[in-house]
């Protein structure tokens, strides 16, 4: 971490590397995304939506949050209709999901809405933006929300949602060189350069043993120790309920099969994307695909049941996205463009190869496999 901003982020990185030596990629990613002075996520930059760098499902259309409200009401019923029902929005960003999920509950399940406490967890600048968004919503939505930089104290009963949270956590990069795992570091030689060295932590090698795969020769891959750590933290606090992880990624056997020989890093900048994490440090998002096997195993370790891993398209169809499309067909629009725009955006939430191919991991405690979002779906086994 650095003090106040002086010079450019490249000066700050050069200085850090001079003082500390080459950075692991996870240290580099933590710096350029989360450093209080320089980080992408800790700035006031508009990240999501038309003026930002990327779209997430809650920002694409409020129907996503309305459908998650159905899943929340279902969990509330599974838990025996508790008087205190906690919803945690981990990495809740600028409040798009909070606004639409709570509006859906208020409209369709007022009995759940009245008993819900919603915790939006993120960094300060996002919390301020989310507060502004929710304060503009009708009713008392903003009063339902606690804006916080960490998980609420447990134990609690309810629903934890992490939408595109895990893909933004810092990752280490490793590569298999002649049967030996080597780590990729970020150094400085008139600019940022990559160098290979010994593993910074032997846990990076044992990670592959844990998830039961061997990285093929020459393949480069990301490992995210922070992901399982967050799952364990949630698992310790969630006394009963559901933890939904919604993100792009694969089970380990696929992610590390050699299908992605150069890894899966992806950077988002002003509506476009590319694969160079050194191009616009501090002003672009950097993501990596999620290893759902590592998250599922961490869930099991703390007593969460792995209920299923399905695509977002399956999940949203189970929750009734077609009802919204039919309602749209029946609605009267003065402006046909508005009908078409809404239809296209709602359909994009289930688009194969796009948001529809995102995965939803269900980790539960005290809730069964008959959940609304899992109905009629034969769950894939995420740890194989
Ligand atoms: C890609 S954004 C997704 C935002 C939101 N969930 C959505 O779907 O629009 C990832 C979010 O996770 C937040 N985040 C990442 N690491 C975090 C941490 N350690 N604590 C709190 N928030 C974090 C980021 O600030 C960012 O808002």
């Amino acid at each position: 971490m650095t003090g106040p901003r002086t010079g450019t982020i490249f000066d700050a990185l050069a200085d850090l590397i001079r003082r500390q030596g080459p950075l692991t990629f996870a240290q580099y990613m933590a710096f350029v995304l989360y450093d209080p002075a320089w980080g992408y996520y800790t700035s006031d930059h508009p990240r999501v939506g038309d003026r930002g760098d990327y779209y997430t499902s809650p920002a694409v259309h409020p129907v996503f949050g309305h459908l998650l409200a159905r899943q929340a009401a279902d969990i509330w019923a599974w838990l025996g209709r508790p008087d205190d029902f906690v919803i945690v929005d981990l990495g809740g960003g600028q409040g798009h999901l909070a606004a639409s999920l709570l509006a859906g509950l208020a409209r369709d399940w007022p009995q759940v809405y009245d008993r819900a406490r919603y915790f939006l967890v993120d960094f300060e600048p996002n919390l301020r933006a989310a507060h502004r968004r929710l304060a503009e919503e009708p009713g008392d939505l903003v009063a339902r929300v606690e804006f916080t930089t960490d998980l609420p104290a447990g134990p609690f009963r309810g629903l934890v949602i992490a939408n595109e949270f895990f893909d933004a956590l810092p990752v280490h990069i490793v590569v298999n060189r002649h049967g030996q795992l080597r780590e990729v570091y970020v150094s400085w030689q008139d600019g940022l350069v990559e160098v290979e060295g010994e593993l910074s932590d032997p846990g990076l090698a044992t990670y592959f043993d844990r998830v039961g795969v061997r990285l093929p020769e020459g393949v480069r891959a990301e490992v995210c120790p922070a992901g399982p750590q967050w799952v364990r933290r949630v698992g310790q606090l969630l006394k009963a309920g559901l933890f939904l992880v919604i993100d792009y990624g694969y089970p380990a056997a696929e992610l590390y099969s050699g299908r992605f020989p150069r890894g899966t890093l992806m950077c988002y900048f002003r509506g476009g994307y590319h694969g160079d994490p050194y191009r616009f440090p501090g002003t672009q998002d950097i993501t990596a695909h999620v290893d759902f096997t590592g998250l599922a195993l961490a869930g099991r370790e703390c007593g969460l049941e792995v209920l299923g891993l399905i695509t977002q398209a399956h999940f949203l169809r189970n929750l009734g996205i077609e009802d919204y499309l039919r309602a749209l067909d029946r609605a009267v629009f003065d402006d046909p463009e508005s009908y078409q725009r809404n239809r296209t955006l709602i359909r994009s939430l289930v688009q194969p190869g796009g948001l529809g191919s995102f995965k939803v991991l269900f980790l539960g405690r005290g809730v069964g496999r008959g959940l609304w979002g899992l109905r009629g779906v034969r769950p894939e086994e995420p740890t194989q």
Side-chain angles (χ1 to χ4, degrees):
M1 300 293 173
T2 56
R5 287 169 74 120
T6 46
T8 67
I9 188 168
F10 288 103
D11 298 332
L13 281 162
D15 184 49
L16 189 63
I17 293 167
R18 213 170 18 250
R19 284 187 284 119
Q20 218 172 286
L23 309 174
T24 65
F25 191 82
Q27 288 169 327
Y28 170 77
M29 193 164 160
F31 183 90
V32 297
L33 292 186
Y34 305 124
D35 181 84
W38 295 103
Y40 175 72
Y41 279 111
T42 42
S43 73
D44 277 325
H45 183 72
R47 283 171 281 277
V48 197
D50 292 341
R51 291 174 49 238
D53 300 307
Y54 58 82
Y55 278 95
T56 57
S57 298
V60 163
H61 202 281
V63 156
F64 183 79
H66 298 161
L67 290 168
L68 278 166
R70 288 188 170 179
Q71 186 60 85
D74 182 33
I75 289 292
W76 181 72
W78 268 96
L79 294 176
R81 302 165 186 264
D83 276 335
D84 183 27
F85 181 63
V86 167
I87 303 175
V88 179
D89 183 354
L90 184 54
Q94 301 177 4
H96 293 83
L97 181 63
S100 50
L101 194 157
L102 284 168
L105 281 184
R107 186 190 59 198
D108 298 331
W109 285 278
Q111 68 280 37
V112 186
Y113 180 77
D114 287 343
R115 290 165 178 79
R117 287 191 294 146
Y118 194 105
F119 291 88
L120 194 155
V121 184
D122 214 297
F123 296 110
E124 288 295 348
N126 276 336
L127 297 179
R128 285 195 296 273
H131 189 280
R132 280 195 299 275
R133 177 180 307 281
L134 284 146
E136 284 168 11
E137 294 291 323
D140 67 342
L141 289 198
V142 71
R144 293 267 145 216
V145 182
E146 210 160 298
F147 299 87
T148 161
T149 55
D150 205 355
L151 293 168
F156 56 78
R157 285 139 69 84
L159 172 64
V160 181
I161 303 167
N163 188 66
E164 291 207 47
F165 170 75
F166 284 92
D167 68 13
L169 296 177
V171 292
H172 291 259
I173 299 180
V174 295
V175 57
N176 182 352
R177 294 270 178 238
H178 317 296
Q180 283 285 325
L181 268 194
R182 306 271 293 161
E183 183 157 356
V184 173
Y185 291 82
V186 182
S187 190
W188 185 270
Q189 285 165 19
D190 297 330
L192 293 166
V193 289
E194 290 188 346
V195 290
E196 283 179 22
E198 306 273 304
L199 296 184
S200 60
D201 176 352
L204 295 174
T206 48
Y207 183 82
F208 289 94
D209 299 333
R210 266 171 58 73
V211 296
V213 295
R214 222 183 129 60
L215 198 63
E217 179 62 37
V219 167
R220 182 177 152 125
E222 300 87 23
V223 178
C224 180
Q229 281 161 16
W230 274 101
V231 171
R232 282 190 278 272
R233 287 195 67 207
V234 171
Q236 279 152 13
L237 299 169
L238 186 67
K239 185 170 148 204
L242 180 66
F243 181 13
L244 281 181
V245 177
I246 310 172
D247 227 310
Y248 40 89
Y250 295 95
E254 201 169 347
L255 184 62
Y256 298 129
S257 63
R259 173 175 169 183
F260 303 102
R262 297 281 306 150
T264 65
L265 282 187
M266 195 63 86
C267 307
Y268 295 87
F269 183 69
R270 298 191 184 153
Y273 59 90
H274 62 89
D276 182 356
Y278 310 113
R279 198 181 293 169
F280 305 116
T283 50
Q284 67 182 6
D285 193 15
I286 306 177
T287 69
H289 283 28
V290 169
D291 168 15
F292 282 103
T293 305
L295 301 187
L297 287 174
R300 274 212 186 113
E301 272 165 23
C302 51
L304 295 175
E305 192 185 349
V306 181
L307 297 168
L309 178 70
I310 62 175
T311 63
Q312 174 163 311
H314 272 139
F315 177 57
L316 297 186
R317 289 213 170 91
N318 277 343
L319 292 174
I321 195 167
E322 303 297 336
D323 299 346
Y324 283 89
L325 288 165
R326 278 191 291 272
L328 197 65
D329 286 341
R330 287 195 302 269
V332 179
F333 283 94
D334 298 335
D335 153 27
E337 265 179 34
S338 165
Y339 164 80
Q340 206 46 52
R341 194 175 52 252
N342 276 286
R343 200 176 162 77
T344 305
L345 291 175
I346 296 174
R347 293 207 70 83
S348 75
L349 295 171
V350 290
Q351 180 76 35
L355 292 169
S357 295
F358 274 43
K359 304 280 191 324
V360 186
L361 174 65
F362 288 67
L363 298 172
R365 197 192 309 278
V367 290
R369 283 180 189 256
L371 293 172
W372 215 333
L374 272 174
R375 264 185 321 187
V377 175
R378 236 178 102 79
E380 282 171 45
E381 176 51 77
T383 59
Q384 285 175 359

